[in-house]
Amino acid sequence: MPARPSNATDASPARPPDGLISHAVFRTMSETDAELERFAWLGDELAVAIWRRDTEVAETSYSKPGHHTLSYYMGGGYRTERDELPGLYGAPERLCTLPDWHESSWTVRGPLRFLHVYFLPEHFTRRAVVELDREPREITLADRTYFEDERIGRLCADLAGMSWEGADGQLRANETAHETLSHLLLSQSMPQHQQRVRGGLAPVVRRRLADYIEANLAQNISLGMLAQLACMSEYHLARMFRISFGMPPSAWIAARRVEHARQLLKTTEQPLQQIADACGYADLSHFSHRFRDSVGAPPSRYRSIVRS
């Protein structure tokens, strides 16, 4: 029986929007007797949904969904268990992480209401360089069932309780989702199931380049500068950088500038021109244009939303 959309005012729950996320978990839930209360596309290939289910007993299986899922139980679940872990039951405020590679079967009994956050492996692992000093390809999300984490649980509750409607609501939800992923990286990451990482930059060179970029965001940073710092040709630096950072140098620098601007807008009273200068933008107009393209709101609007 397909999911029955409710009359929620947020983004239409009929189907997920086109994008890189395949939403296998979303499709699996839609093929059960679960009711989709709310669904929203948050930008940045992030999505969020709230599901409700009440069944005497039913089986649900997931197989290598191709994207990560964070599940937060909002109500019920006391008799729902994962078949691979019999006797371990759900409850409100308990969390599950379902990585892109996982397979599982679940026996669902009784009422259950939960939040799902859908995100790509790249959302999780690109933080590895900055927050864990690790290569993105070295780690993945752990497969965890019914654990508790006060900070992640609070963020999930906040996300479930806020509006996802309109540009402002989606931006606030996007910020909360990103903060949640950072906490997941710190507490629920694990080594990739693969042989020793080959190719790419040596760890000391990767750290040298990452530190140099962070310290010089206000300056012009060229491929030649980075190649000289790494003691290799521009061609080889570009290739090795992409392997170790998960994206080309230009994209990494652009992303770090936007992230630095976001932090300054959230935590300081600096004028927009000063922030533009600190992040290496040619002028205020260029800053506003690039920031809007990346975040979905101009800098001034972003500041008012995240600090309200």
Side-chain angles (χ1 to χ4, degrees):
M1 176 177 180
R4 302 179 299 278
S6 69
N7 295 322
T9 58
D10 287 316
S12 172
R15 68 176 182 87
D18 295 332
L20 296 177
I21 292 180
S22 63
H23 283 311
V25 174
F26 186 103
R27 289 198 303 271
T28 296
M29 293 303 305
S30 297
E31 292 167 358
T32 71
D33 58 355
E35 178 181 350
L36 180 60
E37 290 188 11
R38 301 169 64 194
F39 174 84
W41 182 246
L42 304 181
D44 297 335
E45 295 287 349
L46 291 166
V48 62
I50 293 179
W51 297 90
R52 181 190 299 273
R53 194 172 184 184
D54 192 353
T55 183
E56 184 174 348
V57 61
E59 297 290 329
T60 300
S61 297
Y62 305 110
S63 179
K64 299 179 180 178
H67 63 83
H68 295 335
T69 302
L70 171 64
S71 179
Y72 171 73
Y73 278 31
M74 301 168 62
Y78 300 108
R79 297 171 58 230
T80 294
E81 60 185 330
R82 183 169 172 172
D83 294 355
E84 299 87 352
L85 299 169
L88 180 62
Y89 297 100
E93 300 184 3
R94 289 188 178 171
L95 299 146
C96 299
T97 49
L98 287 65
D100 63 323
W101 47 267
H102 101 290
E103 297 182 354
S104 62
S105 297
W106 303 73
T107 301
V108 182
R109 306 180 186 90
L112 174 62
R113 187 167 180 257
F114 53 94
L115 172 85
H116 270 178
V117 180
Y118 306 111
F119 57 104
L120 295 173
E122 294 93 307
H123 288 117
F124 190 69
T125 55
R126 283 176 181 172
R127 291 173 162 80
V129 175
V130 175
E131 299 181 29
L132 295 182
D133 188 25
R134 299 282 297 276
E135 284 201 9
R137 58 195 174 138
E138 290 181 353
I139 64 172
T140 186
L141 180 67
D143 185 353
R144 295 282 310 278
T145 301
Y146 297 145
F147 67 97
E148 295 184 16
D149 184 293
E150 182 178 358
R151 182 57 180 159
I152 296 173
R154 188 181 306 119
L155 287 167
C156 286
D158 290 345
L159 187 58
M162 66 178 60
S163 172
W164 308 336
E165 187 177 6
D168 290 2
Q170 289 183 8
L171 182 56
R172 289 191 182 96
N174 179 285
E175 286 290 305
T176 302
H178 276 295
E179 185 178 353
T180 304
L181 299 192
S182 288
H183 285 282
L184 274 179
L185 175 69
L186 295 175
S187 64
Q188 305 301 326
S189 61
M190 60 175 284
Q192 284 272 27
H193 296 302
Q194 61 182 34
Q195 296 182 347
R196 185 174 64 87
V197 171
R198 298 180 181 275
L201 299 163
V204 65
V205 176
R206 187 190 69 244
R207 286 193 294 270
R208 185 187 309 152
L209 293 173
D211 290 345
Y212 178 84
I213 291 170
E214 291 298 307
N216 291 276
L217 289 174
Q219 312 301 320
N220 178 46
I221 303 174
S222 69
L223 182 61
M225 293 175 183
L226 298 179
Q228 185 176 9
L229 196 65
C231 299
M232 60 181 63
S233 69
E234 294 182 6
Y235 171 80
H236 283 96
L237 183 278
R239 184 165 60 89
M240 297 295 188
F241 191 103
R242 185 162 193 158
I243 292 173
S244 289
F245 285 79
M247 61 180 74
S250 58
W252 179 266
I253 294 168
R256 296 312 304 158
R257 282 179 167 145
V258 169
E259 181 58 29
H260 188 42
R262 289 170 76 139
Q263 293 303 313
L264 291 176
L265 289 166
K266 284 192 288 187
T267 61
T268 77
E269 300 292 341
Q270 293 181 19
L272 295 185
Q273 182 62 64
Q274 188 174 342
I275 293 176
D277 294 340
C279 296
Y281 294 100
D283 51 47
L284 186 56
S285 175
H286 184 235
F287 169 45
S288 297
H289 176 73
R290 294 293 186 187
F291 193 88
R292 181 197 291 267
D293 285 349
S294 179
V295 178
S300 58
R301 184 61 182 157
Y302 174 84
R303 171 177 265 171
S304 67
I305 291 171
V306 299
R307 301 183 71 171
S308 61

